[in-house]
Amino acid sequence: MKAIDIKNLNQEEVKAKLAEKKIEYAKLKMSHKISPIENPIQLRELRKTIARLATALK
């Protein structure tokens, strides 16, 4: 999710997306610990997206 896309969302949508992405990150991280995922770069991208959403809330 790009910063431009996040700017177009209102505050409630950003909060909902942030909660959704945090859950998705936790699931992906757990599945990566059990058996390595095919593309570990997904973890990094999700972390960056979560950071962008959290920054947009400030």
Side-chain angles (χ1 to χ4, degrees):
M1 186 169 234
K2 300 281 183 175
I4 294 171
D5 299 333
I6 295 171
K7 277 186 175 181
N8 294 331
L9 301 175
N10 64 28
Q11 190 172 7
E12 295 302 318
E13 291 173 335
V14 172
K15 286 181 182 179
K17 285 278 188 187
L18 182 60
E20 176 186 320
K21 294 295 180 182
K22 282 184 177 181
I23 292 170
E24 184 180 343
Y25 178 71
K27 287 180 182 178
L28 192 61
K29 192 172 160 183
M30 182 60 73
S31 68
H32 182 62
K33 285 185 178 184
I34 294 171
S35 66
I37 56 176
E38 188 174 310
N39 188 4
I41 302 297
Q42 290 174 330
L43 290 170
R44 184 185 328 157
E45 291 301 319
L46 263 175
R47 274 197 316 267
K48 287 183 179 183
T49 300
I50 290 169
R52 285 186 190 109
L53 288 166
T55 301
L57 282 177
K58 290 188 175 185

